[in-house]
Amino acid sequence: MATRSEPGHARPDPGLSAIMSERRQLINLAYRLLGSLADAEDVVQETYARWYAMPQQQQEAVETPGAWLTTVASRICLNLLGSARARRETYVGEWIPEPLPERTEWNSGRSDGSAVDPADRVTLDESVNMAFLVVLESMTPAERVAFILHDVFRYSFAEVGEIVGRTPAACRQLASSARRRVRATQAPATPTARQSGIVRDFKRAWEAKDIHALIGLLDPHATATGDGGGLANAAPCPIEGGEQIARYLVGLAGRATNVTILERTVNDQPGLVALQDGVTVAVYAFDFVGDRITRLWAVLNPEKLRPWLPAPHGR
């Protein structure tokens, strides 16, 4: 898991460099809390806006600006999570957390043409794999915040309590409940090298439209979920069963034109990316038990594929 960053001084300089040095930590925290890079960026922007809205004298009175920024960002995330269920009711189709590429494949520009600062990039580890993020979605907002702050970023329960406005004992209970949810869904880990081999075999079988090979790679009780967000065609509801998934994928391959499938790292695990005429149109993440795929997530919503798109022309 990620570990909490420690300040280099007992009282950091509240100047621009010290404040902006916290940006990476805030982006990493907000992405894990929200499952959306776009929302995480908005949270960090709002956090800095609140800092700079304070009079200089008030800024200078803050002993640890990093802790102040973390507290504000966490509370904004908590409020967003509280309204997320209502917002998801208006979302078209299934909602899947936003997939991220590995650092070397992150595009070098934003959709608005501005450059991406390395500090905006999320550090990848097991706390961002797709299965983990999906489990986080089942938690209450308070459980999710307490769990991420304590178990992932190593804040004490006393510190978590100050951030979320609850007692340390209450935060301990929230994190414990969240931990049980995670453990209930965890299966013995399939080694990464084996995962890569399964994904490679899956890609070959899909490209060959070999339905029997696909069925052999999918668990009989596997689930496939697509997220088009109303902006791209995706299965309207999860597909249950290995054979049903295989037949759907073979039908999809038969209708596709000018599509290339590439093996890529997706949220720190082996995955696939579909390119149409050189542009990323889908990202596929997987979960495994033994030598079979148990869950497949397909993100097609273009608004969630920004980090996978080519850099703006001229950058």
Side-chain angles (χ1 to χ4, degrees), residues 12-24 26 48-49 51-52 56 59-60 65-66 69 117 119:
D13 178 3
L16 178 63
S17 61
I19 294 301
M20 295 310 293
S21 69
E22 298 291 334
R23 186 174 181 84
R24 181 189 294 269
L26 298 175
Y48 279 114
W51 171 265
Y52 286 109
Q56 184 176 355
Q59 291 177 7
E60 292 173 350
L69 293 167
D117 190 300

PDB file of all heavy atoms in Angstrom, residues 12-24 26 48-49 51-52 56 59-60 65-66 69 117 119:
ATOM      1  N   PRO A  12       6.583  23.590   7.708  1.00  0.00           N
ATOM      2  CA  PRO A  12       6.910  23.884   6.318  1.00  0.00           C
ATOM      3  C   PRO A  12       6.627  25.336   5.961  1.00  0.00           C
ATOM      4  O   PRO A  12       5.718  25.958   6.496  1.00  0.00           O
ATOM      5  CB  PRO A  12       5.969  22.934   5.547  1.00  0.00           C
ATOM      6  CG  PRO A  12       5.555  21.902   6.541  1.00  0.00           C
ATOM      7  CD  PRO A  12       5.547  22.584   7.856  1.00  0.00           C
ATOM      8  N   ASP A  13       7.428  25.836   5.056  1.00  0.00           N
ATOM      9  CA  ASP A  13       7.212  27.178   4.535  1.00  0.00           C
ATOM     10  C   ASP A  13       5.888  27.197   3.778  1.00  0.00           C
ATOM     11  O   ASP A  13       5.696  26.421   2.846  1.00  0.00           O
ATOM     12  CB  ASP A  13       8.373  27.518   3.599  1.00  0.00           C
ATOM     13  CG  ASP A  13       8.213  28.886   2.960  1.00  0.00           C
ATOM     14  OD1 ASP A  13       7.241  29.592   3.280  1.00  0.00           O
ATOM     15  OD2 ASP A  13       9.075  29.238   2.131  1.00  0.00           O
ATOM     16  N   PRO A  14       4.951  28.078   4.167  1.00  0.00           N
ATOM     17  CA  PRO A  14       3.661  28.088   3.493  1.00  0.00           C
ATOM     18  C   PRO A  14       3.709  28.767   2.132  1.00  0.00           C
ATOM     19  O   PRO A  14       2.667  29.085   1.576  1.00  0.00           O
ATOM     20  CB  PRO A  14       2.773  28.865   4.473  1.00  0.00           C
ATOM     21  CG  PRO A  14       3.716  29.787   5.175  1.00  0.00           C
ATOM     22  CD  PRO A  14       5.008  29.030   5.298  1.00  0.00           C
ATOM     23  N   GLY A  15       4.921  28.987   1.608  1.00  0.00           N
ATOM     24  CA  GLY A  15       5.052  29.604   0.306  1.00  0.00           C
ATOM     25  C   GLY A  15       4.616  28.675  -0.814  1.00  0.00           C
ATOM     26  O   GLY A  15       4.267  27.511  -0.600  1.00  0.00           O
ATOM     27  N   LEU A  16       4.673  29.185  -2.044  1.00  0.00           N
ATOM     28  CA  LEU A  16       4.161  28.461  -3.198  1.00  0.00           C
ATOM     29  C   LEU A  16       4.799  27.087  -3.358  1.00  0.00           C
ATOM     30  O   LEU A  16       4.109  26.088  -3.556  1.00  0.00           O
ATOM     31  CB  LEU A  16       4.393  29.303  -4.459  1.00  0.00           C
ATOM     32  CG  LEU A  16       3.960  28.661  -5.777  1.00  0.00           C
ATOM     33  CD1 LEU A  16       2.455  28.425  -5.768  1.00  0.00           C
ATOM     34  CD2 LEU A  16       4.355  29.548  -6.960  1.00  0.00           C
ATOM     35  N   SER A  17       6.127  26.997  -3.278  1.00  0.00           N
ATOM     36  CA  SER A  17       6.796  25.717  -3.521  1.00  0.00           C
ATOM     37  C   SER A  17       6.388  24.660  -2.506  1.00  0.00           C
ATOM     38  O   SER A  17       6.138  23.508  -2.855  1.00  0.00           O
ATOM     39  CB  SER A  17       8.323  25.901  -3.510  1.00  0.00           C
ATOM     40  OG  SER A  17       8.752  26.382  -2.248  1.00  0.00           O
ATOM     41  N   ALA A  18       6.297  25.063  -1.241  1.00  0.00           N
ATOM     42  CA  ALA A  18       5.915  24.101  -0.198  1.00  0.00           C
ATOM     43  C   ALA A  18       4.476  23.654  -0.378  1.00  0.00           C
ATOM     44  O   ALA A  18       4.151  22.473  -0.210  1.00  0.00           O
ATOM     45  CB  ALA A  18       6.114  24.715   1.185  1.00  0.00           C
ATOM     46  N   ILE A  19       3.608  24.580  -0.718  1.00  0.00           N
ATOM     47  CA  ILE A  19       2.199  24.247  -0.896  1.00  0.00           C
ATOM     48  C   ILE A  19       2.007  23.348  -2.112  1.00  0.00           C
ATOM     49  O   ILE A  19       1.319  22.324  -2.057  1.00  0.00           O
ATOM     50  CB  ILE A  19       1.359  25.534  -1.046  1.00  0.00           C
ATOM     51  CG1 ILE A  19       1.382  26.330   0.255  1.00  0.00           C
ATOM     52  CG2 ILE A  19      -0.071  25.196  -1.443  1.00  0.00           C
ATOM     53  CD1 ILE A  19       0.840  25.581   1.446  1.00  0.00           C
ATOM     54  N   MET A  20       2.649  23.688  -3.234  1.00  0.00           N
ATOM     55  CA  MET A  20       2.464  22.915  -4.459  1.00  0.00           C
ATOM     56  C   MET A  20       3.129  21.546  -4.378  1.00  0.00           C
ATOM     57  O   MET A  20       2.747  20.623  -5.104  1.00  0.00           O
ATOM     58  CB  MET A  20       3.004  23.695  -5.662  1.00  0.00           C
ATOM     59  CG  MET A  20       2.244  24.990  -5.946  1.00  0.00           C
ATOM     60  SD  MET A  20       0.437  24.787  -6.032  1.00  0.00           S
ATOM     61  CE  MET A  20       0.297  23.782  -7.511  1.00  0.00           C
ATOM     62  N   SER A  21       4.098  21.382  -3.484  1.00  0.00           N
ATOM     63  CA  SER A  21       4.753  20.082  -3.331  1.00  0.00           C
ATOM     64  C   SER A  21       3.794  19.033  -2.779  1.00  0.00           C
ATOM     65  O   SER A  21       4.069  17.834  -2.857  1.00  0.00           O
ATOM     66  CB  SER A  21       5.973  20.205  -2.418  1.00  0.00           C
ATOM     67  OG  SER A  21       5.582  20.465  -1.078  1.00  0.00           O
ATOM     68  N   GLU A  22       2.674  19.474  -2.227  1.00  0.00           N
ATOM     69  CA  GLU A  22       1.680  18.542  -1.696  1.00  0.00           C
ATOM     70  C   GLU A  22       0.732  18.031  -2.781  1.00  0.00           C
ATOM     71  O   GLU A  22      -0.082  17.151  -2.525  1.00  0.00           O
ATOM     72  CB  GLU A  22       0.842  19.234  -0.603  1.00  0.00           C
ATOM     73  CG  GLU A  22       1.645  19.692   0.601  1.00  0.00           C
ATOM     74  CD  GLU A  22       2.168  18.530   1.422  1.00  0.00           C
ATOM     75  OE1 GLU A  22       1.549  17.443   1.381  1.00  0.00           O
ATOM     76  OE2 GLU A  22       3.194  18.713   2.104  1.00  0.00           O
ATOM     77  N   ARG A  23       0.855  18.563  -3.983  1.00  0.00           N
ATOM     78  CA  ARG A  23      -0.118  18.252  -5.038  1.00  0.00           C
ATOM     79  C   ARG A  23      -0.173  16.754  -5.355  1.00  0.00           C
ATOM     80  O   ARG A  23      -1.258  16.185  -5.505  1.00  0.00           O
ATOM     81  CB  ARG A  23       0.197  19.044  -6.302  1.00  0.00           C
ATOM     82  CG  ARG A  23      -0.856  18.866  -7.384  1.00  0.00           C
ATOM     83  CD  ARG A  23      -0.605  19.773  -8.565  1.00  0.00           C
ATOM     84  NE  ARG A  23      -1.636  19.598  -9.571  1.00  0.00           N
ATOM     85  CZ  ARG A  23      -2.809  20.198  -9.558  1.00  0.00           C
ATOM     86  NH1 ARG A  23      -3.102  21.034  -8.586  1.00  0.00           N
ATOM     87  NH2 ARG A  23      -3.698  19.978 -10.498  1.00  0.00           N
ATOM     88  N   ARG A  24       0.974  16.120  -5.460  1.00  0.00           N
ATOM     89  CA  ARG A  24       0.982  14.686  -5.794  1.00  0.00           C
ATOM     90  C   ARG A  24       0.234  13.883  -4.737  1.00  0.00           C
ATOM     91  O   ARG A  24      -0.569  12.989  -5.052  1.00  0.00           O
ATOM     92  CB  ARG A  24       2.410  14.165  -5.939  1.00  0.00           C
ATOM     93  CG  ARG A  24       2.469  12.672  -6.301  1.00  0.00           C
ATOM     94  CD  ARG A  24       3.908  12.171  -6.210  1.00  0.00           C
ATOM     95  NE  ARG A  24       4.731  12.811  -7.225  1.00  0.00           N
ATOM     96  CZ  ARG A  24       4.922  12.313  -8.439  1.00  0.00           C
ATOM     97  NH1 ARG A  24       4.314  11.195  -8.785  1.00  0.00           N
ATOM     98  NH2 ARG A  24       5.683  12.928  -9.307  1.00  0.00           N
ATOM     99  N   LEU A  26      -2.115  14.897  -2.750  1.00  0.00           N
ATOM    100  CA  LEU A  26      -3.541  15.192  -2.819  1.00  0.00           C
ATOM    101  C   LEU A  26      -4.207  14.489  -3.997  1.00  0.00           C
ATOM    102  O   LEU A  26      -5.324  13.970  -3.864  1.00  0.00           O
ATOM    103  CB  LEU A  26      -3.760  16.703  -2.905  1.00  0.00           C
ATOM    104  CG  LEU A  26      -3.269  17.533  -1.710  1.00  0.00           C
ATOM    105  CD1 LEU A  26      -3.452  19.017  -1.996  1.00  0.00           C
ATOM    106  CD2 LEU A  26      -3.986  17.129  -0.429  1.00  0.00           C
ATOM    107  N   TYR A  48      -6.833  24.044  -3.301  1.00  0.00           N
ATOM    108  CA  TYR A  48      -5.886  25.151  -3.437  1.00  0.00           C
ATOM    109  C   TYR A  48      -6.609  26.499  -3.496  1.00  0.00           C
ATOM    110  O   TYR A  48      -6.105  27.503  -2.979  1.00  0.00           O
ATOM    111  CB  TYR A  48      -5.012  24.952  -4.673  1.00  0.00           C
ATOM    112  CG  TYR A  48      -3.864  23.998  -4.428  1.00  0.00           C
ATOM    113  CD1 TYR A  48      -3.802  22.774  -5.085  1.00  0.00           C
ATOM    114  CD2 TYR A  48      -2.848  24.313  -3.530  1.00  0.00           C
ATOM    115  CE1 TYR A  48      -2.763  21.894  -4.856  1.00  0.00           C
ATOM    116  CE2 TYR A  48      -1.809  23.435  -3.299  1.00  0.00           C
ATOM    117  CZ  TYR A  48      -1.763  22.230  -3.960  1.00  0.00           C
ATOM    118  OH  TYR A  48      -0.733  21.354  -3.714  1.00  0.00           O
ATOM    119  N   ALA A  49      -7.775  26.517  -4.111  1.00  0.00           N
ATOM    120  CA  ALA A  49      -8.546  27.762  -4.171  1.00  0.00           C
ATOM    121  C   ALA A  49      -8.906  28.230  -2.763  1.00  0.00           C
ATOM    122  O   ALA A  49      -8.849  29.427  -2.451  1.00  0.00           O
ATOM    123  CB  ALA A  49      -9.805  27.559  -5.012  1.00  0.00           C
ATOM    124  N   TRP A  51      -7.227  27.522  -0.045  1.00  0.00           N
ATOM    125  CA  TRP A  51      -5.996  27.967   0.624  1.00  0.00           C
ATOM    126  C   TRP A  51      -5.672  29.406   0.255  1.00  0.00           C
ATOM    127  O   TRP A  51      -5.408  30.247   1.113  1.00  0.00           O
ATOM    128  CB  TRP A  51      -4.829  27.045   0.266  1.00  0.00           C
ATOM    129  CG  TRP A  51      -3.502  27.564   0.739  1.00  0.00           C
ATOM    130  CD1 TRP A  51      -2.600  28.301   0.022  1.00  0.00           C
ATOM    131  CD2 TRP A  51      -2.940  27.419   2.044  1.00  0.00           C
ATOM    132  NE1 TRP A  51      -1.507  28.614   0.781  1.00  0.00           N
ATOM    133  CE2 TRP A  51      -1.686  28.084   2.038  1.00  0.00           C
ATOM    134  CE3 TRP A  51      -3.367  26.791   3.213  1.00  0.00           C
ATOM    135  CZ2 TRP A  51      -0.871  28.136   3.162  1.00  0.00           C
ATOM    136  CZ3 TRP A  51      -2.553  26.833   4.336  1.00  0.00           C
ATOM    137  CH2 TRP A  51      -1.309  27.513   4.306  1.00  0.00           C
ATOM    138  N   TYR A  52      -5.686  29.689  -1.037  1.00  0.00           N
ATOM    139  CA  TYR A  52      -5.300  31.019  -1.498  1.00  0.00           C
ATOM    140  C   TYR A  52      -6.389  32.062  -1.265  1.00  0.00           C
ATOM    141  O   TYR A  52      -6.128  33.255  -1.408  1.00  0.00           O
ATOM    142  CB  TYR A  52      -4.875  30.972  -2.964  1.00  0.00           C
ATOM    143  CG  TYR A  52      -3.508  30.337  -3.115  1.00  0.00           C
ATOM    144  CD1 TYR A  52      -3.369  29.069  -3.682  1.00  0.00           C
ATOM    145  CD2 TYR A  52      -2.371  30.988  -2.634  1.00  0.00           C
ATOM    146  CE1 TYR A  52      -2.133  28.477  -3.785  1.00  0.00           C
ATOM    147  CE2 TYR A  52      -1.126  30.393  -2.736  1.00  0.00           C
ATOM    148  CZ  TYR A  52      -1.006  29.143  -3.304  1.00  0.00           C
ATOM    149  OH  TYR A  52       0.223  28.553  -3.388  1.00  0.00           O
ATOM    150  N   GLN A  56      -3.162  36.197   4.057  1.00  0.00           N
ATOM    151  CA  GLN A  56      -1.811  35.715   4.295  1.00  0.00           C
ATOM    152  C   GLN A  56      -1.545  35.454   5.773  1.00  0.00           C
ATOM    153  O   GLN A  56      -0.901  34.465   6.134  1.00  0.00           O
ATOM    154  CB  GLN A  56      -0.785  36.710   3.760  1.00  0.00           C
ATOM    155  CG  GLN A  56       0.659  36.219   3.904  1.00  0.00           C
ATOM    156  CD  GLN A  56       1.638  37.186   3.272  1.00  0.00           C
ATOM    157  OE1 GLN A  56       1.246  38.175   2.655  1.00  0.00           O
ATOM    158  NE2 GLN A  56       2.921  36.911   3.433  1.00  0.00           N
ATOM    159  N   GLN A  59      -2.912  32.149   6.599  1.00  0.00           N
ATOM    160  CA  GLN A  59      -2.071  31.088   6.042  1.00  0.00           C
ATOM    161  C   GLN A  59      -0.854  30.847   6.917  1.00  0.00           C
ATOM    162  O   GLN A  59      -0.492  29.698   7.210  1.00  0.00           O
ATOM    163  CB  GLN A  59      -1.625  31.458   4.623  1.00  0.00           C
ATOM    164  CG  GLN A  59      -2.731  31.468   3.584  1.00  0.00           C
ATOM    165  CD  GLN A  59      -2.222  31.905   2.223  1.00  0.00           C
ATOM    166  OE1 GLN A  59      -1.002  32.082   2.026  1.00  0.00           O
ATOM    167  NE2 GLN A  59      -3.128  32.081   1.273  1.00  0.00           N
ATOM    168  N   GLU A  60      -0.215  31.929   7.337  1.00  0.00           N
ATOM    169  CA  GLU A  60       0.998  31.818   8.144  1.00  0.00           C
ATOM    170  C   GLU A  60       0.719  31.216   9.512  1.00  0.00           C
ATOM    171  O   GLU A  60       1.622  30.673  10.159  1.00  0.00           O
ATOM    172  CB  GLU A  60       1.649  33.189   8.288  1.00  0.00           C
ATOM    173  CG  GLU A  60       2.208  33.729   6.971  1.00  0.00           C
ATOM    174  CD  GLU A  60       2.696  35.162   7.086  1.00  0.00           C
ATOM    175  OE1 GLU A  60       2.418  35.796   8.138  1.00  0.00           O
ATOM    176  OE2 GLU A  60       3.337  35.647   6.131  1.00  0.00           O
ATOM    177  N   PRO A  65       0.872  23.231   6.626  1.00  0.00           N
ATOM    178  CA  PRO A  65      -0.006  23.406   5.463  1.00  0.00           C
ATOM    179  C   PRO A  65      -0.396  22.084   4.799  1.00  0.00           C
ATOM    180  O   PRO A  65      -1.525  21.941   4.327  1.00  0.00           O
ATOM    181  CB  PRO A  65       0.842  24.270   4.525  1.00  0.00           C
ATOM    182  CG  PRO A  65       1.732  25.047   5.444  1.00  0.00           C
ATOM    183  CD  PRO A  65       2.077  24.086   6.543  1.00  0.00           C
ATOM    184  N   GLY A  66       0.533  21.117   4.769  1.00  0.00           N
ATOM    185  CA  GLY A  66       0.214  19.828   4.155  1.00  0.00           C
ATOM    186  C   GLY A  66      -0.957  19.148   4.844  1.00  0.00           C
ATOM    187  O   GLY A  66      -1.853  18.598   4.188  1.00  0.00           O
ATOM    188  N   LEU A  69      -4.173  21.018   3.924  1.00  0.00           N
ATOM    189  CA  LEU A  69      -4.626  20.693   2.581  1.00  0.00           C
ATOM    190  C   LEU A  69      -5.252  19.295   2.538  1.00  0.00           C
ATOM    191  O   LEU A  69      -6.284  19.088   1.887  1.00  0.00           O
ATOM    192  CB  LEU A  69      -3.453  20.779   1.600  1.00  0.00           C
ATOM    193  CG  LEU A  69      -2.871  22.173   1.359  1.00  0.00           C
ATOM    194  CD1 LEU A  69      -1.530  22.067   0.643  1.00  0.00           C
ATOM    195  CD2 LEU A  69      -3.838  23.040   0.561  1.00  0.00           C
ATOM    196  N   ASP A 117       1.482  18.013 -15.581  1.00  0.00           N
ATOM    197  CA  ASP A 117       2.591  18.039 -14.630  1.00  0.00           C
ATOM    198  C   ASP A 117       2.782  16.633 -14.068  1.00  0.00           C
ATOM    199  O   ASP A 117       1.809  15.953 -13.770  1.00  0.00           O
ATOM    200  CB  ASP A 117       2.254  19.006 -13.498  1.00  0.00           C
ATOM    201  CG  ASP A 117       3.453  19.279 -12.602  1.00  0.00           C
ATOM    202  OD1 ASP A 117       3.969  18.311 -12.020  1.00  0.00           O
ATOM    203  OD2 ASP A 117       3.837  20.438 -12.482  1.00  0.00           O
ATOM    204  N   ALA A 119       3.392  15.760 -11.256  1.00  0.00           N
ATOM    205  CA  ALA A 119       2.749  15.680  -9.944  1.00  0.00           C
ATOM    206  C   ALA A 119       1.272  15.348 -10.054  1.00  0.00           C
ATOM    207  O   ALA A 119       0.638  14.979  -9.075  1.00  0.00           O
ATOM    208  CB  ALA A 119       2.926  16.992  -9.185  1.00  0.00           C
TER     209      ALA A 119
END
